[in-house]
PDB file of all heavy atoms in Angstrom:
ATOM      1  N   ILE P1343      31.459  -2.597 -13.042  1.00 42.00           N
ATOM      2  CA  ILE P1343      31.395  -1.571 -14.085  1.00 42.00           C
ATOM      3  C   ILE P1343      32.770  -1.486 -14.725  1.00 42.00           C
ATOM      4  O   ILE P1343      33.771  -1.272 -14.061  1.00 42.00           O
ATOM      5  CB  ILE P1343      30.999  -0.196 -13.497  1.00 42.00           C
ATOM      6  CG1 ILE P1343      29.615  -0.266 -12.865  1.00 42.00           C
ATOM      7  CG2 ILE P1343      31.068   0.882 -14.567  1.00 42.00           C
ATOM      8  CD1 ILE P1343      29.198   0.998 -12.170  1.00 42.00           C
ATOM      9  N   ASP P1344      32.787  -1.662 -16.033  1.00 45.00           N
ATOM     10  CA  ASP P1344      34.039  -1.565 -16.769  1.00 45.00           C
ATOM     11  C   ASP P1344      34.334  -0.080 -16.960  1.00 45.00           C
ATOM     12  O   ASP P1344      33.694   0.602 -17.744  1.00 45.00           O
ATOM     13  CB  ASP P1344      33.898  -2.268 -18.115  1.00 45.00           C
ATOM     14  CG  ASP P1344      35.181  -2.241 -18.934  1.00 45.00           C
ATOM     15  OD1 ASP P1344      36.136  -1.551 -18.547  1.00 45.00           O
ATOM     16  OD2 ASP P1344      35.205  -2.923 -19.959  1.00 45.00           O
ATOM     17  N   GLU P1345      35.306   0.437 -16.208  1.00 42.00           N
ATOM     18  CA  GLU P1345      35.615   1.857 -16.195  1.00 42.00           C
ATOM     19  C   GLU P1345      35.985   2.385 -17.588  1.00 42.00           C
ATOM     20  O   GLU P1345      35.602   3.487 -17.956  1.00 42.00           O
ATOM     21  CB  GLU P1345      36.749   2.151 -15.212  1.00 42.00           C
ATOM     22  CG  GLU P1345      36.411   1.845 -13.770  1.00 42.00           C
ATOM     23  CD  GLU P1345      35.373   2.782 -13.183  1.00 42.00           C
ATOM     24  OE1 GLU P1345      35.231   3.921 -13.669  1.00 42.00           O
ATOM     25  OE2 GLU P1345      34.684   2.349 -12.244  1.00 42.00           O
ATOM     26  N   GLN P1346      36.728   1.615 -18.354  1.00 40.00           N
ATOM     27  CA  GLN P1346      37.187   2.100 -19.646  1.00 40.00           C
ATOM     28  C   GLN P1346      36.055   2.171 -20.665  1.00 40.00           C
ATOM     29  O   GLN P1346      35.998   3.093 -21.462  1.00 40.00           O
ATOM     30  CB  GLN P1346      38.308   1.213 -20.175  1.00 40.00           C
ATOM     31  CG  GLN P1346      39.549   1.305 -19.305  1.00 40.00           C
ATOM     32  CD  GLN P1346      40.645   0.371 -19.776  1.00 40.00           C
ATOM     33  OE1 GLN P1346      40.417  -0.516 -20.587  1.00 40.00           O
ATOM     34  NE2 GLN P1346      41.847   0.585 -19.256  1.00 40.00           N
ATOM     35  N   GLU P1347      35.188   1.201 -20.672  1.00 45.00           N
ATOM     36  CA  GLU P1347      34.103   1.154 -21.655  1.00 45.00           C
ATOM     37  C   GLU P1347      32.827   1.780 -21.119  1.00 45.00           C
ATOM     38  O   GLU P1347      31.906   2.054 -21.874  1.00 45.00           O
ATOM     39  CB  GLU P1347      33.830  -0.290 -22.077  1.00 45.00           C
ATOM     40  CG  GLU P1347      35.002  -0.987 -22.718  1.00 45.00           C
ATOM     41  CD  GLU P1347      35.348  -0.385 -24.069  1.00 45.00           C
ATOM     42  OE1 GLU P1347      34.435   0.047 -24.788  1.00 45.00           O
ATOM     43  OE2 GLU P1347      36.536  -0.351 -24.390  1.00 45.00           O
ATOM     44  N   GLY P1348      32.724   1.951 -19.790  1.00 46.00           N
ATOM     45  CA  GLY P1348      31.515   2.519 -19.197  1.00 46.00           C
ATOM     46  C   GLY P1348      30.320   1.588 -19.307  1.00 46.00           C
ATOM     47  O   GLY P1348      29.177   2.025 -19.332  1.00 46.00           O
ATOM     48  N   MET P1349      30.568   0.283 -19.392  1.00 48.00           N
ATOM     49  CA  MET P1349      29.476  -0.677 -19.556  1.00 48.00           C
ATOM     50  C   MET P1349      29.161  -1.357 -18.237  1.00 48.00           C
ATOM     51  O   MET P1349      30.051  -1.673 -17.461  1.00 48.00           O
ATOM     52  CB  MET P1349      29.851  -1.731 -20.606  1.00 48.00           C
ATOM     53  CG  MET P1349      30.073  -1.164 -21.984  1.00 48.00           C
ATOM     54  SD  MET P1349      30.602  -2.416 -23.160  1.00 48.00           S
ATOM     55  CE  MET P1349      29.179  -3.454 -23.197  1.00 48.00           C
ATOM     56  N   ILE P1350      27.892  -1.569 -17.989  1.00 50.00           N
ATOM     57  CA  ILE P1350      27.456  -2.297 -16.799  1.00 50.00           C
ATOM     58  C   ILE P1350      27.146  -3.719 -17.229  1.00 50.00           C
ATOM     59  O   ILE P1350      26.402  -3.953 -18.171  1.00 50.00           O
ATOM     60  CB  ILE P1350      26.200  -1.655 -16.183  1.00 50.00           C
ATOM     61  CG1 ILE P1350      26.519  -0.226 -15.728  1.00 50.00           C
ATOM     62  CG2 ILE P1350      25.678  -2.485 -15.027  1.00 50.00           C
ATOM     63  CD1 ILE P1350      25.323   0.541 -15.252  1.00 50.00           C
ATOM     64  N   GLN P1351      27.753  -4.679 -16.550  1.00 53.00           N
ATOM     65  CA  GLN P1351      27.500  -6.078 -16.864  1.00 53.00           C
ATOM     66  C   GLN P1351      26.847  -6.738 -15.654  1.00 53.00           C
ATOM     67  O   GLN P1351      27.302  -6.582 -14.538  1.00 53.00           O
ATOM     68  CB  GLN P1351      28.797  -6.781 -17.230  1.00 53.00           C
ATOM     69  CG  GLN P1351      29.404  -6.204 -18.486  1.00 53.00           C
ATOM     70  CD  GLN P1351      30.580  -7.012 -18.973  1.00 53.00           C
ATOM     71  OE1 GLN P1351      30.897  -8.059 -18.439  1.00 53.00           O
ATOM     72  NE2 GLN P1351      31.214  -6.531 -20.019  1.00 53.00           N
ATOM     73  N   MET P1352      25.775  -7.464 -15.890  1.00 55.00           N
ATOM     74  CA  MET P1352      25.063  -8.118 -14.802  1.00 55.00           C
ATOM     75  C   MET P1352      25.501  -9.558 -14.634  1.00 55.00           C
ATOM     76  O   MET P1352      25.850 -10.223 -15.599  1.00 55.00           O
ATOM     77  CB  MET P1352      23.552  -8.096 -15.073  1.00 55.00           C
ATOM     78  CG  MET P1352      22.959  -6.718 -15.023  1.00 55.00           C
ATOM     79  SD  MET P1352      21.177  -6.732 -15.092  1.00 55.00           S
ATOM     80  CE  MET P1352      20.877  -7.433 -16.677  1.00 55.00           C
ATOM     81  N   ASP P1353      25.459  -9.996 -13.428  1.00 68.00           N
ATOM     82  CA  ASP P1353      25.720 -11.390 -13.124  1.00 68.00           C
ATOM     83  C   ASP P1353      24.442 -12.152 -13.471  1.00 68.00           C
ATOM     84  O   ASP P1353      23.431 -12.031 -12.784  1.00 68.00           O
ATOM     85  CB  ASP P1353      26.073 -11.534 -11.644  1.00 68.00           C
ATOM     86  CG  ASP P1353      26.397 -12.961 -11.260  1.00 68.00           C
ATOM     87  OD1 ASP P1353      25.928 -13.899 -11.934  1.00 68.00           O
ATOM     88  OD2 ASP P1353      27.104 -13.128 -10.259  1.00 68.00           O
ATOM     89  N   ILE P1354      24.459 -12.926 -14.548  1.00 73.00           N
ATOM     90  CA  ILE P1354      23.257 -13.600 -15.043  1.00 73.00           C
ATOM     91  C   ILE P1354      22.697 -14.579 -14.024  1.00 73.00           C
ATOM     92  O   ILE P1354      21.486 -14.754 -13.926  1.00 73.00           O
ATOM     93  CB  ILE P1354      23.502 -14.287 -16.410  1.00 73.00           C
ATOM     94  CG1 ILE P1354      22.184 -14.745 -17.039  1.00 73.00           C
ATOM     95  CG2 ILE P1354      24.453 -15.455 -16.268  1.00 73.00           C
ATOM     96  CD1 ILE P1354      21.273 -13.642 -17.451  1.00 73.00           C
ATOM     97  N   HIS P1355      23.549 -15.162 -13.220  1.00 73.00           N
ATOM     98  CA  HIS P1355      23.060 -16.107 -12.219  1.00 73.00           C
ATOM     99  C   HIS P1355      22.277 -15.385 -11.121  1.00 73.00           C
ATOM    100  O   HIS P1355      21.244 -15.875 -10.668  1.00 73.00           O
ATOM    101  CB  HIS P1355      24.214 -16.915 -11.636  1.00 73.00           C
ATOM    102  CG  HIS P1355      24.914 -17.748 -12.667  1.00 73.00           C
ATOM    103  ND1 HIS P1355      24.309 -18.828 -13.284  1.00 73.00           N
ATOM    104  CD2 HIS P1355      26.134 -17.646 -13.215  1.00 73.00           C
ATOM    105  CE1 HIS P1355      25.139 -19.350 -14.164  1.00 73.00           C
ATOM    106  NE2 HIS P1355      26.257 -18.647 -14.142  1.00 73.00           N
ATOM    107  N   LEU P1356      22.761 -14.232 -10.706  1.00 78.00           N
ATOM    108  CA  LEU P1356      22.045 -13.441  -9.708  1.00 78.00           C
ATOM    109  C   LEU P1356      20.731 -12.938 -10.278  1.00 78.00           C
ATOM    110  O   LEU P1356      19.697 -12.964  -9.613  1.00 78.00           O
ATOM    111  CB  LEU P1356      22.909 -12.267  -9.228  1.00 78.00           C
ATOM    112  CG  LEU P1356      22.293 -11.381  -8.145  1.00 78.00           C
ATOM    113  CD1 LEU P1356      21.930 -12.211  -6.909  1.00 78.00           C
ATOM    114  CD2 LEU P1356      23.273 -10.273  -7.765  1.00 78.00           C
ATOM    115  N   PHE P1357      20.757 -12.501 -11.529  1.00 77.00           N
ATOM    116  CA  PHE P1357      19.539 -12.047 -12.194  1.00 77.00           C
ATOM    117  C   PHE P1357      18.503 -13.171 -12.236  1.00 77.00           C
ATOM    118  O   PHE P1357      17.331 -12.966 -11.914  1.00 77.00           O
ATOM    119  CB  PHE P1357      19.851 -11.573 -13.617  1.00 77.00           C
ATOM    120  CG  PHE P1357      18.635 -11.213 -14.410  1.00 77.00           C
ATOM    121  CD1 PHE P1357      17.956 -10.028 -14.160  1.00 77.00           C
ATOM    122  CD2 PHE P1357      18.152 -12.066 -15.393  1.00 77.00           C
ATOM    123  CE1 PHE P1357      16.817  -9.697 -14.884  1.00 77.00           C
ATOM    124  CE2 PHE P1357      17.021 -11.741 -16.119  1.00 77.00           C
ATOM    125  CZ  PHE P1357      16.352 -10.547 -15.872  1.00 77.00           C
ATOM    126  N   LYS P1358      18.946 -14.363 -12.618  1.00 77.00           N
ATOM    127  CA  LYS P1358      18.046 -15.517 -12.688  1.00 77.00           C
ATOM    128  C   LYS P1358      17.458 -15.822 -11.308  1.00 77.00           C
ATOM    129  O   LYS P1358      16.269 -16.082 -11.181  1.00 77.00           O
ATOM    130  CB  LYS P1358      18.790 -16.740 -13.228  1.00 77.00           C
ATOM    131  CG  LYS P1358      17.936 -17.982 -13.301  1.00 77.00           C
ATOM    132  CD  LYS P1358      18.732 -19.177 -13.780  1.00 77.00           C
ATOM    133  CE  LYS P1358      17.903 -20.431 -13.716  1.00 77.00           C
ATOM    134  NZ  LYS P1358      18.671 -21.617 -14.075  1.00 77.00           N
ATOM    135  N   GLU P1359      18.296 -15.762 -10.286  1.00 80.00           N
ATOM    136  CA  GLU P1359      17.833 -16.040  -8.924  1.00 80.00           C
ATOM    137  C   GLU P1359      16.779 -15.026  -8.471  1.00 80.00           C
ATOM    138  O   GLU P1359      15.739 -15.394  -7.929  1.00 80.00           O
ATOM    139  CB  GLU P1359      19.021 -16.023  -7.964  1.00 80.00           C
ATOM    140  CG  GLU P1359      18.655 -16.365  -6.536  1.00 80.00           C
ATOM    141  CD  GLU P1359      19.874 -16.342  -5.619  1.00 80.00           C
ATOM    142  OE1 GLU P1359      20.967 -16.724  -6.063  1.00 80.00           O
ATOM    143  OE2 GLU P1359      19.699 -15.925  -4.470  1.00 80.00           O
ATOM    144  N   VAL P1360      17.031 -13.755  -8.731  1.00 85.00           N
ATOM    145  CA  VAL P1360      16.075 -12.707  -8.356  1.00 85.00           C
ATOM    146  C   VAL P1360      14.778 -12.862  -9.136  1.00 85.00           C
ATOM    147  O   VAL P1360      13.683 -12.780  -8.570  1.00 85.00           O
ATOM    148  CB  VAL P1360      16.689 -11.302  -8.572  1.00 85.00           C
ATOM    149  CG1 VAL P1360      15.649 -10.208  -8.411  1.00 85.00           C
ATOM    150  CG2 VAL P1360      17.851 -11.078  -7.613  1.00 85.00           C
ATOM    151  N   LEU P1361      14.882 -13.109 -10.425  1.00 83.00           N
ATOM    152  CA  LEU P1361      13.701 -13.282 -11.270  1.00 83.00           C
ATOM    153  C   LEU P1361      12.876 -14.485 -10.817  1.00 83.00           C
ATOM    154  O   LEU P1361      11.655 -14.383 -10.656  1.00 83.00           O
ATOM    155  CB  LEU P1361      14.103 -13.446 -12.737  1.00 83.00           C
ATOM    156  CG  LEU P1361      12.968 -13.702 -13.729  1.00 83.00           C
ATOM    157  CD1 LEU P1361      12.016 -12.519 -13.781  1.00 83.00           C
ATOM    158  CD2 LEU P1361      13.537 -13.997 -15.106  1.00 83.00           C
ATOM    159  N   CYS P1362      13.510 -15.619 -10.587  1.00 83.00           N
ATOM    160  CA  CYS P1362      12.800 -16.831 -10.166  1.00 83.00           C
ATOM    161  C   CYS P1362      12.145 -16.648  -8.801  1.00 83.00           C
ATOM    162  O   CYS P1362      11.021 -17.097  -8.584  1.00 83.00           O
ATOM    163  CB  CYS P1362      13.732 -18.034 -10.166  1.00 83.00           C
ATOM    164  SG  CYS P1362      14.173 -18.570 -11.836  1.00 83.00           S
ATOM    165  N   THR P1363      12.834 -15.969  -7.886  1.00 89.00           N
ATOM    166  CA  THR P1363      12.265 -15.707  -6.567  1.00 89.00           C
ATOM    167  C   THR P1363      11.016 -14.843  -6.691  1.00 89.00           C
ATOM    168  O   THR P1363       9.991 -15.110  -6.060  1.00 89.00           O
ATOM    169  CB  THR P1363      13.304 -15.017  -5.652  1.00 89.00           C
ATOM    170  OG1 THR P1363      14.411 -15.902  -5.496  1.00 89.00           O
ATOM    171  CG2 THR P1363      12.719 -14.692  -4.292  1.00 89.00           C
ATOM    172  N   LYS P1364      11.081 -13.810  -7.511  1.00 90.00           N
ATOM    173  CA  LYS P1364       9.931 -12.918  -7.712  1.00 90.00           C
ATOM    174  C   LYS P1364       8.770 -13.667  -8.366  1.00 90.00           C
ATOM    175  O   LYS P1364       7.618 -13.534  -7.937  1.00 90.00           O
ATOM    176  CB  LYS P1364      10.350 -11.722  -8.567  1.00 90.00           C
ATOM    177  CG  LYS P1364       9.290 -10.693  -8.730  1.00 90.00           C
ATOM    178  CD  LYS P1364       8.995 -10.017  -7.416  1.00 90.00           C
ATOM    179  CE  LYS P1364       8.043  -8.867  -7.606  1.00 90.00           C
ATOM    180  NZ  LYS P1364       7.597  -8.317  -6.333  1.00 90.00           N
ATOM    181  N   LEU P1365       9.056 -14.462  -9.391  1.00 89.00           N
ATOM    182  CA  LEU P1365       7.992 -15.220 -10.066  1.00 89.00           C
ATOM    183  C   LEU P1365       7.373 -16.256  -9.120  1.00 89.00           C
ATOM    184  O   LEU P1365       6.157 -16.450  -9.133  1.00 89.00           O
ATOM    185  CB  LEU P1365       8.529 -15.886 -11.329  1.00 89.00           C
ATOM    186  CG  LEU P1365       8.869 -14.932 -12.470  1.00 89.00           C
ATOM    187  CD1 LEU P1365       9.568 -15.675 -13.601  1.00 89.00           C
ATOM    188  CD2 LEU P1365       7.636 -14.213 -12.990  1.00 89.00           C
ATOM    189  N   ASP P1366       8.176 -16.907  -8.297  1.00 91.00           N
ATOM    190  CA  ASP P1366       7.645 -17.859  -7.307  1.00 91.00           C
ATOM    191  C   ASP P1366       6.699 -17.159  -6.345  1.00 91.00           C
ATOM    192  O   ASP P1366       5.640 -17.691  -5.999  1.00 91.00           O
ATOM    193  CB  ASP P1366       8.771 -18.519  -6.510  1.00 91.00           C
ATOM    194  CG  ASP P1366       9.536 -19.566  -7.299  1.00 91.00           C
ATOM    195  OD1 ASP P1366       9.037 -20.008  -8.359  1.00 91.00           O
ATOM    196  OD2 ASP P1366      10.638 -19.946  -6.851  1.00 91.00           O
ATOM    197  N   ASP P1367       7.074 -15.968  -5.910  1.00 94.00           N
ATOM    198  CA  ASP P1367       6.232 -15.204  -4.986  1.00 94.00           C
ATOM    199  C   ASP P1367       4.899 -14.829  -5.634  1.00 94.00           C
ATOM    200  O   ASP P1367       3.835 -14.977  -5.024  1.00 94.00           O
ATOM    201  CB  ASP P1367       6.968 -13.948  -4.532  1.00 94.00           C
ATOM    202  CG  ASP P1367       6.155 -13.124  -3.557  1.00 94.00           C
ATOM    203  OD1 ASP P1367       5.713 -13.692  -2.522  1.00 94.00           O
ATOM    204  OD2 ASP P1367       5.957 -11.917  -3.802  1.00 94.00           O
ATOM    205  N   ILE P1368       4.935 -14.378  -6.869  1.00 94.00           N
ATOM    206  CA  ILE P1368       3.708 -14.016  -7.589  1.00 94.00           C
ATOM    207  C   ILE P1368       2.813 -15.239  -7.769  1.00 94.00           C
ATOM    208  O   ILE P1368       1.598 -15.174  -7.579  1.00 94.00           O
ATOM    209  CB  ILE P1368       4.036 -13.361  -8.946  1.00 94.00           C
ATOM    210  CG1 ILE P1368       4.736 -12.017  -8.715  1.00 94.00           C
ATOM    211  CG2 ILE P1368       2.768 -13.184  -9.783  1.00 94.00           C
ATOM    212  CD1 ILE P1368       5.358 -11.439  -9.973  1.00 94.00           C
ATOM    213  N   GLU P1369       3.412 -16.367  -8.135  1.00 94.00           N
ATOM    214  CA  GLU P1369       2.634 -17.603  -8.304  1.00 94.00           C
ATOM    215  C   GLU P1369       1.960 -17.992  -6.992  1.00 94.00           C
ATOM    216  O   GLU P1369       0.762 -18.306  -6.972  1.00 94.00           O
ATOM    217  CB  GLU P1369       3.522 -18.742  -8.778  1.00 94.00           C
ATOM    218  CG  GLU P1369       2.764 -20.058  -8.907  1.00 94.00           C
ATOM    219  CD  GLU P1369       3.655 -21.240  -9.193  1.00 94.00           C
ATOM    220  OE1 GLU P1369       4.879 -21.160  -8.978  1.00 94.00           O
ATOM    221  OE2 GLU P1369       3.113 -22.285  -9.627  1.00 94.00           O
ATOM    222  N   LYS P1370       2.682 -17.982  -5.890  1.00 96.00           N
ATOM    223  CA  LYS P1370       2.118 -18.364  -4.587  1.00 96.00           C
ATOM    224  C   LYS P1370       0.967 -17.457  -4.191  1.00 96.00           C
ATOM    225  O   LYS P1370      -0.068 -17.927  -3.707  1.00 96.00           O
ATOM    226  CB  LYS P1370       3.197 -18.339  -3.506  1.00 96.00           C
ATOM    227  CG  LYS P1370       4.172 -19.481  -3.606  1.00 96.00           C
ATOM    228  CD  LYS P1370       5.283 -19.360  -2.581  1.00 96.00           C
ATOM    229  CE  LYS P1370       6.352 -20.415  -2.825  1.00 96.00           C
ATOM    230  NZ  LYS P1370       7.539 -20.225  -2.024  1.00 96.00           N
ATOM    231  N   ARG P1371       1.131 -16.149  -4.393  1.00 97.00           N
ATOM    232  CA  ARG P1371       0.056 -15.213  -4.035  1.00 97.00           C
ATOM    233  C   ARG P1371      -1.169 -15.408  -4.916  1.00 97.00           C
ATOM    234  O   ARG P1371      -2.301 -15.366  -4.439  1.00 97.00           O
ATOM    235  CB  ARG P1371       0.562 -13.776  -4.110  1.00 97.00           C
ATOM    236  CG  ARG P1371       1.560 -13.476  -2.990  1.00 97.00           C
ATOM    237  CD  ARG P1371       1.966 -12.027  -2.956  1.00 97.00           C
ATOM    238  NE  ARG P1371       2.670 -11.675  -4.178  1.00 97.00           N
ATOM    239  CZ  ARG P1371       2.753 -10.448  -4.673  1.00 97.00           C
ATOM    240  NH1 ARG P1371       2.181  -9.446  -4.055  1.00 97.00           N
ATOM    241  NH2 ARG P1371       3.422 -10.218  -5.779  1.00 97.00           N
ATOM    242  N   THR P1372      -0.952 -15.644  -6.200  1.00 96.00           N
ATOM    243  CA  THR P1372      -2.077 -15.873  -7.123  1.00 96.00           C
ATOM    244  C   THR P1372      -2.827 -17.140  -6.744  1.00 96.00           C
ATOM    245  O   THR P1372      -4.063 -17.155  -6.673  1.00 96.00           O
ATOM    246  CB  THR P1372      -1.571 -15.954  -8.574  1.00 96.00           C
ATOM    247  OG1 THR P1372      -0.863 -14.751  -8.896  1.00 96.00           O
ATOM    248  CG2 THR P1372      -2.723 -16.157  -9.547  1.00 96.00           C
ATOM    249  N   LEU P1373      -2.105 -18.214  -6.494  1.00 97.00           N
ATOM    250  CA  LEU P1373      -2.745 -19.478  -6.103  1.00 97.00           C
ATOM    251  C   LEU P1373      -3.474 -19.342  -4.768  1.00 97.00           C
ATOM    252  O   LEU P1373      -4.577 -19.884  -4.605  1.00 97.00           O
ATOM    253  CB  LEU P1373      -1.717 -20.602  -6.028  1.00 97.00           C
ATOM    254  CG  LEU P1373      -1.117 -21.031  -7.368  1.00 97.00           C
ATOM    255  CD1 LEU P1373       0.025 -22.012  -7.159  1.00 97.00           C
ATOM    256  CD2 LEU P1373      -2.187 -21.612  -8.286  1.00 97.00           C
ATOM    257  N   HIS P1374      -2.910 -18.602  -3.835  1.00 98.00           N
ATOM    258  CA  HIS P1374      -3.553 -18.377  -2.535  1.00 98.00           C
ATOM    259  C   HIS P1374      -4.919 -17.716  -2.725  1.00 98.00           C
ATOM    260  O   HIS P1374      -5.909 -18.128  -2.113  1.00 98.00           O
ATOM    261  CB  HIS P1374      -2.656 -17.514  -1.646  1.00 98.00           C
ATOM    262  CG  HIS P1374      -3.245 -17.184  -0.321  1.00 98.00           C
ATOM    263  ND1 HIS P1374      -3.360 -18.118   0.691  1.00 98.00           N
ATOM    264  CD2 HIS P1374      -3.766 -16.033   0.156  1.00 98.00           C
ATOM    265  CE1 HIS P1374      -3.932 -17.551   1.739  1.00 98.00           C
ATOM    266  NE2 HIS P1374      -4.186 -16.275   1.436  1.00 98.00           N
ATOM    267  N   VAL P1375      -4.975 -16.725  -3.587  1.00 97.00           N
ATOM    268  CA  VAL P1375      -6.239 -16.030  -3.858  1.00 97.00           C
ATOM    269  C   VAL P1375      -7.215 -16.953  -4.572  1.00 97.00           C
ATOM    270  O   VAL P1375      -8.397 -17.041  -4.199  1.00 97.00           O
ATOM    271  CB  VAL P1375      -5.995 -14.749  -4.686  1.00 97.00           C
ATOM    272  CG1 VAL P1375      -7.304 -14.162  -5.196  1.00 97.00           C
ATOM    273  CG2 VAL P1375      -5.236 -13.722  -3.862  1.00 97.00           C
ATOM    274  N   LEU P1376      -6.761 -17.644  -5.601  1.00 98.00           N
ATOM    275  CA  LEU P1376      -7.659 -18.517  -6.368  1.00 98.00           C
ATOM    276  C   LEU P1376      -8.279 -19.607  -5.489  1.00 98.00           C
ATOM    277  O   LEU P1376      -9.453 -19.945  -5.665  1.00 98.00           O
ATOM    278  CB  LEU P1376      -6.922 -19.146  -7.553  1.00 98.00           C
ATOM    279  CG  LEU P1376      -6.586 -18.197  -8.704  1.00 98.00           C
ATOM    280  CD1 LEU P1376      -5.709 -18.894  -9.730  1.00 98.00           C
ATOM    281  CD2 LEU P1376      -7.859 -17.652  -9.349  1.00 98.00           C
ATOM    282  N   HIS P1377      -7.525 -20.139  -4.554  1.00 98.00           N
ATOM    283  CA  HIS P1377      -8.049 -21.188  -3.676  1.00 98.00           C
ATOM    284  C   HIS P1377      -9.170 -20.685  -2.766  1.00 98.00           C
ATOM    285  O   HIS P1377      -9.948 -21.493  -2.252  1.00 98.00           O
ATOM    286  CB  HIS P1377      -6.925 -21.802  -2.840  1.00 98.00           C
ATOM    287  CG  HIS P1377      -6.092 -22.793  -3.600  1.00 98.00           C
ATOM    288  ND1 HIS P1377      -6.566 -24.018  -4.016  1.00 98.00           N
ATOM    289  CD2 HIS P1377      -4.814 -22.725  -4.051  1.00 98.00           C
ATOM    290  CE1 HIS P1377      -5.633 -24.667  -4.666  1.00 98.00           C
ATOM    291  NE2 HIS P1377      -4.549 -23.902  -4.710  1.00 98.00           N
TER     292      HIS P1377
END
């Protein structure tokens, strides 16, 4: 958190990792049901 500007900046690589992990989990569960 940039104290002077009060802005929150995200680590894009961590965001991508979390997003991809979540999407992989959703895909696996959907495919498990469809099968």
Side-chain angles (χ1 to χ4, degrees):
I1343 298 175
D1344 181 352
E1345 296 291 335
Q1346 294 177 347
E1347 300 293 326
M1349 297 177 64
I1350 298 174
Q1351 296 188 5
M1352 292 189 297
D1353 182 335
I1354 191 67
H1355 298 292
L1356 182 58
F1357 175 75
K1358 179 183 174 184
E1359 183 180 324
V1360 171
L1361 177 63
C1362 289
T1363 298
K1364 185 67 173 172
L1365 290 172
D1366 286 344
D1367 181 54
I1368 294 168
E1369 178 188 18
K1370 287 176 188 171
R1371 290 186 296 156
T1372 303
L1373 292 172
H1374 178 73
V1375 169
L1376 288 173
H1377 281 291

